[in-house]
Amino acid sequence: RMTEPHPAASRRPIVRLWLYAVAVLMVVTLAVGGATRLTESGLSIVEWKPVTGVIPPMSQEAWQAEFGKYQQIPQYRELNRGMSVDEFKTIYWWEWTHRLLARTIGAVFLLPFVFFLWRGWIEPRLKARLWTLFGAGAALGAVGWWMVSSGLADSSRVSVSQYRLAFHLTLACAIYAAILWTTRSLQRRPAGELPWRLRASASALMILVVLQIYLGALVAGLDAGLVFNTWPDIDGSLIPAAERLWFEAPVWRNLFENTLTVQFNHRMLAYLIWAVAVLHAIDAFRSRGAGAARNGALTLACLVTLQAGIGIITLLHQVPLPLALLHQLTGILVLTVAVIHAQRISANPVPAVSHTEPFAADKSIPRSPA
């Protein structure tokens, strides 16, 4: 019997383009989210209205009503007392834009996904993964409000919980990494036979970068970058005294609430990532048959070095907004390259398109009369 290629395989370029568009939107949203955090704008909208919240205030009366709601929370009373409506509009638009982008991502993911499923353009192996990613994205929206609510309910807080901020950002970056990995896996580029240690160290770097983003979010949530602004020493020495690092009780709270410990851990992991990235690049250049890994390893090592330098400069200048945003954006770039590099040399790329699979029903491609 005459057979045809699986129709979904022929639609891979369209599916890849769609997923890349989602990934780009996520990068933009992460950047706007960073600006929202740095400008203390995240608490400017005190209600979660997933549908009607798309429409911003359209009149002076509506703006005054929104401003009145903001005036009831601790952040206004403690940090922004006396703010004008026009000043409020600035922080409002940051948060509104961040939320609008998040909603846009949901629509850009779900609507084409449903259409592709209807047309039979999604390969069976991808369906469960893509549904999982959509579910994670929906959960991310709920986590975002959970984060914002932490700065509204407690009369002693003027910002969101660093625990929730770190979880929100890390989940967003993990979803972004998964989308990027999935997209790249649809484009078969065999890496050839590579030493297992190269694959392992590439994957380790990707995981370490995600962990570093989590630690960086804790630093941001505690404003720890504003407290210790010297390098390479911190609190007067390269390694602070134990009683300064571990004075909170129980001890584990120091990892999340002690500004010195949080910034120190962020620095130490940065050193570790830099060392692993450089050693990984050296290993790639010394290994036989590692041509596919060399460019990625070198690019990653260079970007990690650049990111470390930007972080140091940002710290020494007491975290000005442009440098802080650059530091975050470069961190996303490092994650992007780490994911692409690890996926490219992974041991299990997506199999090549089979030309002997029985034809599956697709409303857009007629069945062969044979």
Side-chain angles (χ1 to χ4, degrees):
R1 186 171 66 87
M2 187 177 188
T3 59
E4 297 284 346
H6 193 291
S10 68
R11 303 298 181 176
R12 281 187 187 176
I14 297 174
V15 173
R16 284 202 307 269
L17 184 62
W18 160 58
L19 290 175
Y20 274 131
V22 173
V24 169
L25 278 173
M26 289 203 71
V27 171
V28 174
T29 305
L30 284 166
V32 172
T36 301
R37 168 68 189 89
L38 290 165
T39 56
E40 301 286 356
S41 304
L43 298 178
S44 58
I45 302 177
V46 301
E47 296 173 316
W48 189 35
K49 298 178 178 178
V51 178
T52 59
V54 173
I55 303 174
M58 304 296 287
S59 65
Q60 190 61 31
E61 292 75 14
W63 275 113
Q64 193 62 54
E66 285 296 316
F67 187 37
K69 296 173 186 177
Y70 178 68
Q71 288 175 310
Q72 303 305 310
I73 70 171
Q75 187 185 76
Y76 172 80
R77 295 195 301 268
E78 299 296 329
L79 295 183
N80 292 324
R81 184 179 293 275
M83 170 184 277
S84 67
V85 174
D86 286 338
E87 290 171 328
F88 169 71
K89 288 179 180 180
T90 300
I91 62 173
Y92 181 95
W93 284 122
W94 275 119
E95 175 64 7
W96 181 84
T97 302
H98 184 55
R99 295 191 188 193
L100 179 65
L101 284 168
R103 294 180 175 100
T104 301
I105 291 172
V108 170
F109 190 101
L110 181 61
L111 297 180
F113 184 36
V114 171
F115 175 78
F116 294 159
L117 287 171
W118 174 60
R119 301 301 289 180
W121 293 0
I122 303 294
E123 296 170 66
R125 66 173 66 89
L126 285 179
K127 289 180 181 178
R129 185 187 303 183
L130 293 176
W131 275 121
T132 300
L133 287 172
F134 176 74
L140 181 63
V143 169
W145 173 247
W146 177 62
M147 175 189 69
V148 170
S149 66
S150 67
L152 304 175
D154 189 342
S155 60
S156 64
R157 297 197 68 94
V158 295
S159 61
V160 301
S161 163
Q162 74 273 20
Y163 290 94
R164 301 186 189 188
L165 172 67
F167 182 69
H168 182 60
L169 177 60
T170 308
L171 179 59
C173 288
I175 294 170
Y176 167 68
I179 290 174
L180 191 58
W181 184 288
T182 300
T183 308
R184 297 287 301 180
S185 71
L186 294 176
Q187 187 172 357
R188 181 176 170 82
R189 289 185 177 179
E193 294 297 326
L194 294 173
W196 69 268
R197 65 180 182 276
L198 280 179
R199 301 183 193 276
S201 56
S203 296
L205 278 167
M206 179 178 64
I207 294 169
L208 287 173
V209 169
V210 173
L211 177 59
Q212 180 70 327
I213 288 171
Y214 177 83
L215 294 181
L218 289 178
V219 171
L222 290 170
D223 289 324
L226 298 174
V227 181
F228 303 99
N229 299 105
T230 58
W231 186 86
D233 66 303
I234 179 172
D235 196 34
S237 61
L238 189 62
I239 300 178
E243 58 268 21
R244 294 276 291 151
L245 289 171
W246 307 106
F247 68 86
E248 295 274 6
V251 173
W252 63 264
R253 289 181 57 185
N254 290 278
L255 299 172
F256 307 97
E257 300 180 21
N258 184 336
T259 54
L260 176 61
T261 307
V262 167
Q263 193 191 125
F264 178 71
N265 289 341
H266 189 54
R267 290 190 188 197
M268 292 300 106
L269 186 56
Y271 299 151
L272 176 62
I273 291 172
W274 180 82
V276 174
V278 170
L279 291 173
H280 176 71
I282 293 172
D283 192 20
F285 274 86
R286 299 177 80 178
S287 299
R288 287 187 175 183
R294 288 173 183 167
N295 290 341
L298 179 61
T299 301
L300 184 56
C302 290
L303 279 175
V304 168
T305 303
L306 175 64
Q307 172 68 341
I310 293 173
I312 292 167
I313 295 171
T314 303
L315 181 72
L316 295 176
H317 286 81
Q318 299 185 325
V319 199
L321 179 60
L323 283 176
L325 280 175
L326 179 62
H327 186 52
Q328 178 166 321
L329 287 172
T330 310
I332 297 170
L333 181 58
V334 170
L335 176 62
T336 301
V337 173
V339 171
I340 291 174
H341 177 58
Q343 189 283 324
R344 187 178 184 187
I345 66 174
S346 64
N348 297 306
V350 170
V353 177
S354 170
H355 294 280
T356 60
E357 292 184 54
F359 185 84
D362 177 24
K363 298 178 180 61
S364 66
I365 303 177
R367 182 184 292 275
S368 168

